[in-house]
């Protein structure tokens, strides 16, 4: 079954919707330049509302490893997603500070970019069109990748089923595709989850 990550949640009502929809993952964005940014204090409060069956992923851009490890080891998040210029040395440093899982994001512009993703020592990789650009990249570039991955970039209820049928990713990751006027839209969240689950049943 394709796993689902609803990313960029920032309000108690977002968490309530997620608890009803039961995705495997939700995401808190800790990159201060993002309009979806939440503080560690806000994330802590939201995590307490989150169903224990759903993993909270913290999204970071070139953050200090010590900061990420602190959030992981305190239980505010369960996994870290690295969405900046973090390299293998950075991952090794983070692993010395925490045993929690790591997702490394890769922007896919050329077929060669999948090779970098395949070599990553992170627990999971995420393939995206850019740093949260909300656009779809050429899926043909990743058809031969030889490891499980999170698929991101421009996904919505309208194309999620097609993505699952065509690529069979480990997980799909959505943020802007479940928003209206910059806020999470419970109707769009439900439609996205339904589209993925429907394709899984076929």
């Amino acid at each position: 079954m394709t796993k689902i990550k609803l990313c960029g949640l920032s309000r108690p009502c977002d968490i309530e919707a997620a608890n009803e929809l039961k995705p495997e993952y939700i995401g808190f964005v800790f990159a201060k330049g993002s309009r979806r940014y939440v503080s560690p204090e806000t994330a802590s409060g939201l995590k307490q509302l989150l169903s224990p069956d759903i993993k909270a992923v913290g999204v970071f851009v070139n953050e200090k490893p010590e900061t990420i490890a602190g959030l992981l080891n305190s239980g505010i998040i369960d996994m870290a997603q690295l969405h900046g210029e973090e390299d293998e040395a950075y991952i090794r440093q983070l692993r010395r500070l925490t045993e929690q899982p790591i997702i490394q994001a890769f922007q896919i512009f050329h077929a060669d970019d999948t090779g970098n993703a395949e070599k990553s020592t992170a627990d999971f990789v995420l393939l995206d069109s850019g740093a949260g650009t909300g656009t779809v990249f050429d899926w043909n570039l990743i058809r031969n990748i030889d490891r499980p991955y999170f698929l991101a970039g421009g996904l919505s209820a309208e194309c999620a089923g097609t993505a699952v049928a065509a690529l069979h990713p480990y997980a799909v990751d959505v943020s802007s595709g479940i928003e209206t006027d910059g806020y999470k839209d419970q109707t769009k969240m439900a439609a996205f989850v339904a589209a993925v689950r429907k394709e899984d049943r076929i």
Side-chain angles (χ1 to χ4, degrees):
M1 185 177 75
T2 308
K3 300 183 186 302
I4 296 172
K5 175 166 169 269
L6 304 178
C7 198
L9 308 193
S10 61
R11 303 172 299 169
C13 60
D14 300 340
I15 300 298
E16 291 170 11
N19 287 342
E20 291 181 11
L21 296 170
K22 297 179 172 58
E24 285 74 20
Y25 307 95
I26 61 95
F28 297 135
V29 176
F30 292 102
K32 291 183 179 178
S34 171
R35 60 183 173 82
R36 303 181 183 98
Y37 169 78
V38 294
S39 68
E41 294 75 22
T42 297
S44 179
L46 294 173
K47 179 63 171 358
Q48 292 176 35
L49 302 175
L50 184 67
S51 167
D53 296 329
I54 303 172
K55 299 291 186 185
V57 180
V59 180
F60 302 91
V61 177
N62 303 325
E63 183 58 81
K64 294 179 180 177
E66 293 80 7
T67 300
I68 298 176
L71 292 167
L72 287 165
N73 295 337
S74 64
I76 294 175
I77 54 174
D78 304 299
M79 303 171 68
Q81 178 177 317
L82 309 178
H83 228 291
E85 300 165 1
E86 302 88 355
D87 57 13
E88 287 296 318
Y90 183 101
I91 292 175
R92 287 194 297 272
Q93 185 177 1
L94 184 55
R95 288 203 188 281
R96 286 194 289 268
L97 301 171
T98 182
E99 297 179 352
Q100 299 304 100
I102 299 168
I103 305 169
Q104 186 175 18
F106 290 87
Q107 297 180 30
I108 305 299
F109 301 115
H110 311 285
D112 292 346
D113 295 328
T114 61
N116 296 327
E118 286 183 314
K119 291 183 287 187
S120 170
T121 61
D123 299 278
F124 300 96
V125 294
L126 180 144
L127 309 181
D128 199 353
S129 56
T133 57
T135 56
V136 176
F137 63 90
D138 182 358
W139 294 340
N140 289 315
L141 297 174
I142 63 172
R143 288 188 182 277
N144 296 320
I145 190 169
D146 196 26
R147 70 179 290 179
Y149 59 88
F150 285 71
L151 177 67
L155 297 182
S156 65
E158 289 70 33
C159 67
T162 301
V164 171
L167 299 171
H168 307 290
Y170 169 80
V172 287
D173 185 325
V174 63
S175 187
S176 60
I178 51 171
E179 291 180 347
T180 298
D181 298 328
Y183 292 97
K184 292 297 179 280
D185 182 316
Q186 295 184 27
T187 300
K188 289 182 178 180
M189 293 168 73
F192 183 88
V193 171
V196 176
R197 298 298 187 224
K198 178 182 178 181
E199 187 58 42
D200 274 334
R201 288 194 295 269
I202 295 175

